[in-house]
Amino acid sequence: DGLNGLALLPRALDDPRPEVVHAAVEALRRSSAKHPEVFALGAFHRSPEVRRAMVSPPLPEGCEEVAFTLAIDPACPAVRELPCPP
């Protein structure tokens, strides 16, 4: 958590090493509870693997609406199984 750490995560999502990308996705998911704007950094990433990992259940609290916008993304079929946000 913290602005300095969050500033590094988008760059880490593009790292060629899968373990770095995985760590960045996990850090974004942990940091995004009740902060959907942080969740969106990964949820709308150009990489289908990153998008899929970001929206895999369980979703961070408060990020359901952002995740639901990816229901039509072929890379994110798990979103279609989630309950619709209110």
Side-chain angles (χ1 to χ4, degrees):
D1 209 11
L3 288 178
N4 290 333
L6 286 176
L8 297 174
L9 292 177
R11 194 171 333 138
L13 293 173
D14 291 322
D15 197 278
R17 296 168 291 177
E19 64 274 12
V20 173
V21 174
H22 176 75
V25 165
E26 289 305 309
L28 270 178
R29 286 177 54 88
R30 282 192 212 115
S31 300
S32 61
K34 298 183 182 178
H35 298 286
E37 67 281 2
V38 174
F39 184 77
L41 290 171
F44 299 117
H45 193 270
R46 70 180 148 269
S47 164
E49 291 82 12
V50 169
R51 294 193 309 274
R52 190 171 25 257
M54 286 298 295
V55 300
S56 63
L59 293 173
E61 182 183 356
C63 297
E64 298 83 5
E65 287 185 18
V66 174
F68 191 68
T69 63
L70 294 172
I72 61 169
D73 184 339
C76 303
V79 173
R80 293 188 285 281
E81 305 299 320
L82 299 172
C84 291

